[in-house]
Structures are given as structure tokens and as C-alpha cells.
Amino acid sequence: MEEEPNEITSSIFYYKNGSFSSINHKRTDTCEKICKELCRRWNFPPLVQFLFGLRIYGKQIWIADSRQLVIGEKYEFRIRFKVSRLFAQVF
């Protein structure tokens, strides 16, 4: 049996730049860990990291923070909770 790779690439859509990004991560990384890395990559303050999440692209299905991503599935990096005053500072 062929061993599965430890590192995988996921395709994640980011609305601010309007395109998909290929994100390399470990197979065991959780959605929460990937979202935190994306926030760091895109210079979001630590306070707002918990407002973001991933959902399956084109669907209304959010990925739980503790879940791992599925190979071949596309995701959207989205804000889960809009806090108007804070939102204006980030964007």
C-alpha cells in the first residue's frame, strides 16, 4: 500500500484579492491552525484571527476548527462574525 504524503496543498479562495491561493500544510493541520497561518500571512492582527474560518467553496458548509482539510476540496477563507468597528480597521 502506498503511503500518503505528510504535506498537502489546499486551494483557498481569498475575497480581498479575488483569487485562489495554493496553501501547503501538513495533512494533520487543523482548520484553526491553517486560518491562523493565513491571518499571519495576510497581516491580520491576532485579535481578529478568531473571526475567520474556512467553508467549502460554493457551499454554505463551514469547517469546524478541529477538522482537517480534505484533499481536492476547495475552500473559502471568510469572516464568520462581522464586528463593524473592528472590521473597518482590518479592511
Side-chain angles (χ1 to χ4, degrees):
M1 179 174 262
E2 189 175 315
E3 189 175 316
E4 293 181 352
N6 186 35
E7 188 165 293
I8 60 174
T9 302
S10 293
S11 186
I12 300 177
F13 188 82
Y14 179 42
Y15 279 90
K16 190 165 185 179
N17 64 16
S19 64
F20 282 94
S21 296
S22 294
I23 309 298
N24 296 323
H25 57 92
K26 292 180 182 173
R27 173 179 292 283
T28 57
D29 286 348
T30 62
C31 177
E32 179 181 20
K33 184 172 183 173
I34 293 167
C35 285
K36 283 183 180 181
E37 177 55 37
L38 292 172
C39 285
R40 280 192 286 275
R41 181 182 294 190
W42 291 320
N43 298 316
F44 291 0
L47 180 61
V48 302
Q49 290 178 3
F50 300 104
L51 300 176
F52 287 88
L54 295 177
R55 82 178 185 190
I56 298 174
Y57 183 73
K59 299 180 182 177
Q60 298 293 322
I61 302 171
W62 289 92
I63 308 302
D65 286 344
S66 61
R67 298 295 301 219
Q68 297 167 348
L69 303 189
V70 175
I71 295 174
E73 188 75 68
K74 290 184 176 183
Y75 298 93
E76 299 171 87
F77 179 73
R78 297 186 56 102
I79 193 161
R80 292 184 288 183
F81 309 102
K82 185 175 178 182
V83 181
S84 57
R85 212 172 76 197
L86 184 61
F87 191 73
Q89 293 174 2
V90 174
F91 298 102

